[in-house]
Structure formats: structure tokens, C-alpha cells
Amino acid sequence: MTARALPPSGSPAPHAPRTWPALDPALFFGSLVIYIAGTPLGLDRVAAASRVAAALGARSQDPGAPLAHLAARLAVYLPFGDGAARANLASALLAALAVTLLGRVCADLLAAMRPPPHARQGPRDFVYEPLLAAGAALAGGLSLATFQTATSADAAAATLALLAGAWWAALPFLRAQGTAGHGFALAGLSGLAAGVDPVAGPLLWPLAFGLWLWELRRGSRWPLLAPLLFVAALGGSWLATMAASEGSGNVLHTLARLWPTGIRDRAVVVRTAAELSDELGVVGLLLGGVGTVALLRRAPLVAFWLGFTMVTALLLGHPPGQSGLHLDTTRAGLPAALMAAAVPVCTGAAELAARLGRARMVTAIVLAGLAVVSPVLDGGAGRWRRDAHGPERLLEHALLRAPLRASVDPGTAEMDGLFRYGAALGLRPDLEIVHRK
């Protein structure tokens, strides 16, 4: 008989092996196929032109998030589609990664909340867990706001992927099972939050700072090196933004964009909350309510973290149709709230299915299907057939009106991106883009 060494006092328990490893590739490729089916083969918004132009090598007044910019630059080398279609595909890849990480968070949380094992319970009794995790992740990832974000060249998809990765790294600490690897991953992702939409900072930095203080108080060693990793990732993201931009005022601009300018007014917040309820559907709301009660009873830290994330995202976000074609750095607010809502939806479905004995498998299939149906049907056929010719017709009309060898002042950031997109495609090389004060 051999003795097993116990972990020292103050150290976390050994991390349990990953449950249901086949869930990750299934979620990634499944969601990616759905996103590709709805990806427009061109520009669907004027605001996306600046990001596509930056991906094609043009310098921009506002390059946006460097992580999304890097993904779009890599997607440009794919051997199919035009520049806009490849940039849209980069967003689809990032969104599929976000759905995969969200499904992993749901699966790990369900495994951690299992009842104590006894003689009549085995792995076969929890086969319904990956179905519920996949259903909840797809419900958040295929909701209308998230779907539009995932199929358009935008920084919001990179924001969702970063947030989902940070949630996966933070969950073990909220369950008192975190390791040094999770801590370093959370610190690095927190620093990279400067390379995505500014909504990531308020959603991620308070969580990371609170866990850092808690682990430092417990005597863990990784918090001593975590600030260095955070500063290195933060500085790298800021330098990448500076390198991709032009103009003399970019230093102050990039520093200011690390944090949102303010929260929305009450009317916008109410409309955003109503939009979230409509996109989740009645079944999703009921399961989310049951899951919230279960989390408050069995995992209160996780419940408070999810509540803070959803409330903050709603305060910073807006309904999809409000910003129209204009540039908006808080477009990821509502999709982030929808992704966070998937966790209590999954927990609520598991709470109901676990009480039905041998019928739990059938119940899990029905609940997972019902949770996905409403988000997928929202928007109708319009989500699959978006007009990708409007911005191109606007660019063609603007170029026809410009004289030969003229200096063109676009006037707005949206039109500046559209003109630079045309220049990256080789249209009207005789024009010079200027900005008159």
C-alpha cells in the first residue's frame, strides 16, 4: 500500500482531468460550419471597410483592435474569396473559438457541481452533460446579435473569444481548484484585453484583480509574477495598435480607448435587456432563472461573477440596430451578455434533467433543442441573406464623383475606411486621401 502525498496548506487541489474531450472539436467545427453558411461574400456594413482595408495592408486612422487585425491579416492569405470575405471568415473562426471555450466552461462547471459519488453513479449517468453544455453554448453563440458579430469583419468576435478564454481560466479559481497555469493564462488574457474592444476591460479586469488579491492572500506564488505578464501583454497590445495606425494624435487616442467613455442611459439599457430576453427566448429565460437559483445555492461566487458580467455588459452594450452603419467600439456588449447567460441556462437545464432519473437523457435532448431553436429562428431568413453590395455601390458612386488626381477628404471615419478599402483594391490610384481640419 503506497501513501499519496497531500497538497501543502494553501495550495489548490489537483486539477481534475478534462471531461468530455470530444465536445471541443465538435462545437468548434459545428459552429464554424453554421457561421460560414451565414457569412456574406463582401462588405455588409460601411463600418467594416476600415478593418478590411487594414487587413489588406492599408494604414488607417483607427485600426481598431490589434488581435482582430492580426486574425484578418492571416485570413487574407487564404486561397479563396475576396478580401472582405476572408476578413469575415476570420471573425467566424474567432467566434467559433469563443463558442468552443464557452462550451468547455459549461461542461467543467456541470462536472464540478455533480453530487458526491456513490455506488449507483458512474460516468454513464452524466452522459447528458455534454449535450446541455453544447446546447447552451450554441444558444449564446447563434443568437442574432452574436451571429451578426461572428459573420462580419469586426473586433467584437475577437473580444468574445478573449472573454470566453478568460472565463475558462477563472472558473477553477471560483471553484477553489485553480493552478498556476490558470493564473498565468488569466493574467495574459487580461493584458490582451487592451487589444480588443474597450468593453473587455470592465468585464475582465475587476474579476482578474479580485482573484489575484484572493490568491495572494492565500499564499499562492503565481500572483507574484502575474503583474509582469499582464503588463507585457498590455504593452504589446498597445504597441501593436500604435504600429498599425497613423497620425500624430494616436498616442492619447489609443490610451483613451482602453476604457469605455461611459455607460448607456436608462432607455438604452432597458431596450438592450429586452433584446437579450427576446433573443434568448422563453425557454432560455426560464432555464436561466432556474440555473441562477441553483448557482446561488451551490456556487455563489460563480453566480455573482455571472451577474456582474451580464449587468456590466448590458450597461455598456446596445441593441444591434442602434448604431447602424457607424463605427462603434461597444458592439460586443450585448453578445457578451448573451454568451454569459449561456452558463445559467446550462445549469438550469442540468438541474431539471438530473431530477428525472432514467428520463434525464431524453429531457436533456429536449431542453437543449428548445434552448437553441428560439435563438436560431430569431431574425428569420435575413440573418442568412444580408446585402453585401450596398457599401460597394456607395464606394463606386463616391469614386465616380471624384475628379482626376484630386485630394479627397472623406469627412467621416466610415467613409475614410471605405476610400482606403477602395485604394487597397487598386481602385482610383490617382486619388489622395487627406483630412482637412
Side-chain angles (χ1 to χ4, degrees), residues 40 42-56 58 60 62-64 68-69 72 83-89 91 148-156 323-328 331 386-388 390-392 394-395 413-422 424-425:
L43 289 176
D44 64 327
R45 297 180 303 114
V46 175
S50 60
R51 307 203 184 272
V52 178
L56 294 175
S60 174
D62 186 9
H69 173 69
R86 297 172 188 176
N88 294 337
L89 181 59
S91 294
Q148 291 177 348
T149 295
T151 55
S152 178
D154 204 317
S323 61
L325 300 178
H326 300 286
L327 292 172
D328 190 2
R331 195 179 181 219
R386 299 206 301 272
D387 183 18
E392 295 181 358
L394 179 60
L395 175 61
E414 294 80 15
M415 289 304 299
D416 175 81
L418 200 59
F419 271 100
R420 292 181 186 274
Y421 171 68
L425 295 179

Side-chain angles (χ1 to χ4, degrees), residues 259-411:
W259 196 265
T261 56
I263 63 176
R264 305 286 179 175
D265 56 34
R266 183 182 303 177
V268 176
V269 173
V270 171
R271 290 199 301 270
T272 307
E275 180 67 24
L276 181 141
S277 301
D278 291 341
E279 294 191 14
L280 279 181
V282 176
V283 176
L285 290 177
L286 293 176
L287 293 177
V290 175
T292 301
V293 174
L295 287 173
L296 286 172
R297 187 178 69 253
R298 303 176 60 184
L301 287 180
V302 178
F304 286 121
W305 154 58
L306 289 173
F308 170 81
T309 300
M310 292 186 62
V311 171
T312 306
L314 291 177
L315 291 175
L316 298 176
H318 58 78
Q322 180 178 339
S323 61
L325 300 178
H326 300 286
L327 292 172
D328 190 2
T329 58
T330 59
R331 195 179 181 219
L334 179 57
L338 288 165
M339 299 283 277
V343 180
V345 169
C346 176
T347 307
E351 187 76 7
L352 295 178
R355 297 178 181 273
L356 297 180
R358 296 182 178 180
R360 55 178 171 263
M361 188 65 181
V362 177
T363 305
I365 295 175
V366 173
L367 291 178
L370 291 177
V372 175
V373 165
S374 181
V376 170
L377 295 181
D378 190 17
R383 68 156 63 193
W384 306 100
R385 295 195 299 267
R386 299 206 301 272
D387 183 18
H389 303 290
E392 295 181 358
R393 288 193 292 265
L394 179 60
L395 175 61
E396 181 181 0
H397 181 69
L399 293 179
L400 288 176
R401 295 184 58 185
L404 291 175
R405 299 184 179 88
S407 297
V408 180
D409 181 10

Side-chain angles (χ1 to χ4, degrees), residues 243-267:
S245 61
E246 64 179 15
S248 58
N250 283 316
V251 175
L252 296 178
H253 177 69
T254 52
L255 288 176
R257 72 176 298 274
L258 295 181
W259 196 265
T261 56
I263 63 176
R264 305 286 179 175
D265 56 34
R266 183 182 303 177

